[in-house]
Every structure is written in C-alpha cells, then in structure tokens.
Amino acid sequence: MALTGFFLVSFLMFHLTMNLFLFEGSRGSFSSFADFLGTFPIVRPIEWILFGGFLLHLLLGGFVWLMNRGVRPQAYKVKGTSKTIKLSSRLSIYTGTLILAFLVWHLIQFFIASRFAGHPVDMFVLVAQAFSNPVTIVLYEILFVILGFHLNHGFQALFQSLGLRTAKYRGFIDAVGVIVWLLIPLGFASIPLVMYFGGAR
Ligand code: HEM
C-alpha cells in the first residue's frame, strides 16, 4: 500500500503541475502538453502502469480493510471512537471509495472524452467547459477536501510502514506531510475557481 501510495502521490504532483498551466496566461502550453500526452506513443505504456498502480492500491486497500475486520469477526458491544486512531485513518476506506467514484467520472469527462472523440480536441476548452458549471465545481471542491483527508492518513501510514516514522524524524515527516496532504489538494482546488472566476468559461 505504501509503495503504490507513493507512486500515486508522485503522479498527483505531476498532474497538478501540468494542470497549473490551465491558468489563462499559459493556455497554449497546456493544450500542447495535453496533445503530446494524447499522441506520443511512449505515453501509452506509462498510462497502463498508472492505471495498474491505481488498481493495485485499491485492491490492497480493500484487502487490508477486510483483514482488519476479520481480526475481530464480532463487532464491539460498546461502539466508541478510538482516541489512538486518527479520524482520517478510520475513514480512509470511505474516502478512498469516494475518490474512486470521482476518478470514474473524471476519466469519462476528460480522458475518454478526448481520446475517443474521433477528432482533435482542445483540452483547455474541454476543461473550461466542464468548469463553467457551478455544480461540477462544487463536486470537485468537495472531492479535494476528501482527497486531503485521504492523503493525511496515507502520508503518515507510508512512513510508518517503511519504519521511518521514528521519534527522531516524526516532526520532520509530519511537516513535509503538510505539503502533500494540504498543498496538493489546495493547488487542485484553486484551478476550477480561478478558471470560473477568472473568465475562462
Ligand atoms: C482541478 C483538478 C483536475 C483537473 C483540471 C484535471 C484534469 C485532467 C485532464 C485534462 C485529464 C486528461 C489528460 C489527457 O488525457 O491528456 C486528466 C486525466 C486524469 N486525471 Fe485529472 N484533473 C484534476 C484532478 C485530478 C485528481 C485529483 C486526480 C486523482 C485523484 C486525477 C486523476 C487523473 C487520472 C488518473 C487521469 C488519466 C491519466 C492522464 O491522462 O494523466 N485528476 N485530468
């Protein structure tokens, strides 16, 4: 889980960097880069590796969740929230499922809509059209909050699993973690808002 999670966070950083070119001034760069990703043959196997990474991560996540439940087949009589396990950890199976649902919608909206259109598509126009709808923007913004929760748990779990979150490094790891779980979702969250209010619609 830790390694596939690390791989997916790397993708998110790349994806965010690419999407920051959606801001009006760099519109041409964004569309050319999207064209390159859509047409350059070497990108295809990389996409399959990416989709494989997502699949492995969610299969392992489901497996770990089922195993944890299997540890105690009977539910506790007193249902209390554990103070030792963070809320984001307890919710990770649910936040993960919501991110999966978002991904299906997101891929239909952009990836499938551009790759299977049968004619060249200006990716900037496609994204601007999607973010001209306030309902889409609200749903995306909700997703970015959920993504932040998921990454908050994931980042700490990553270093815990690798045995690196020792007392000595904990403070440093948690500080770097803020970049991942707060700044990545915030970066994504800014895009629909800037496009909508900045007049790209
Ligand atoms: C404002 C936020 C976002 C925007 C504007 C955006 C935009 C796009 C666009 C335009 C594509 C098609 C790229 C192409 O086919 O060349 C795409 C693909 C994709 N997006 Fe996003 N995305 C956003 C957030 C996210 C998030 C949060 C995730 C993951 C949780 C994600 C996962 C993916 C994946 C897996 C693909 C397919 C692989 C690829 O083509 O790069 N996206 N996105």
Side-chain angles (χ1 to χ4, degrees):
M1 285 241 64
L3 293 179
T4 51
F6 179 75
F7 171 65
L8 295 177
V9 166
S10 316
F11 161 73
L12 278 183
M13 285 179 165
F14 168 78
H15 198 48
L16 174 60
T17 310
M18 173 186 159
N19 286 330
L20 288 176
F21 284 95
L22 276 163
F23 294 148
E24 187 64 32
S26 44
R27 171 185 180 152
S29 318
F30 177 79
S31 290
S32 331
F33 193 42
D35 272 352
F36 165 77
L37 290 181
T39 49
F40 207 63
I42 192 88
V43 179
R44 297 291 82 73
I46 298 174
E47 275 171 0
W48 284 111
I49 295 172
L50 175 65
F51 292 139
F54 269 106
L55 191 66
L56 197 59
H57 190 72
L58 73 93
L59 286 178
L60 288 171
F63 182 66
V64 169
W65 182 70
L66 283 175
M67 276 210 331
N68 285 343
R69 280 170 65 105
V71 168
R72 190 175 168 89
Q74 266 183 326
Y76 286 108
K77 279 203 178 118
V78 179
K79 272 204 167 182
T81 49
S82 162
K83 288 204 169 72
T84 52
I85 304 178
K86 280 198 328 179
L87 183 68
S88 61
S89 305
R90 275 183 279 122
L91 293 182
S92 61
I93 183 75
Y94 306 108
T95 49
T97 308
L98 290 170
I99 293 168
L100 174 64
F102 160 80
L103 261 183
V104 173
W105 178 44
H106 183 62
L107 290 182
I108 294 172
Q109 253 185 330
F110 298 140
F111 183 78
I112 295 181
S114 62
R115 296 292 161 91
F116 301 97
H119 54 82
V121 170
D122 183 334
M123 195 65 90
F124 181 93
V125 174
L126 196 64
V127 179
Q129 271 168 359
F131 294 148
S132 64
N133 182 348
V135 177
T136 304
I137 296 182
V138 170
L139 291 176
Y140 265 72
E141 296 300 330
I142 294 173
L143 184 277
F144 297 135
V145 175
I146 293 170
L147 181 67
F149 254 86
H150 196 76
L151 293 177
N152 176 274
H153 157 72
F155 189 81
Q156 285 166 17
L158 164 69
F159 286 93
Q160 197 85 37
S161 305
L162 297 177
L164 296 172
R165 200 160 171 263
T166 55
K168 191 173 170 196
Y169 297 116
R170 184 166 301 189
F172 176 70
I173 289 173
D174 290 353
V176 176
V178 174
I179 298 176
V180 171
W181 70 261
L182 189 62
L183 290 192
I184 292 181
L186 271 181
F188 276 121
S190 67
I191 295 167
L193 296 176
V194 171
M195 288 188 87
Y196 186 81
F197 292 108
R201 66 188 188 280

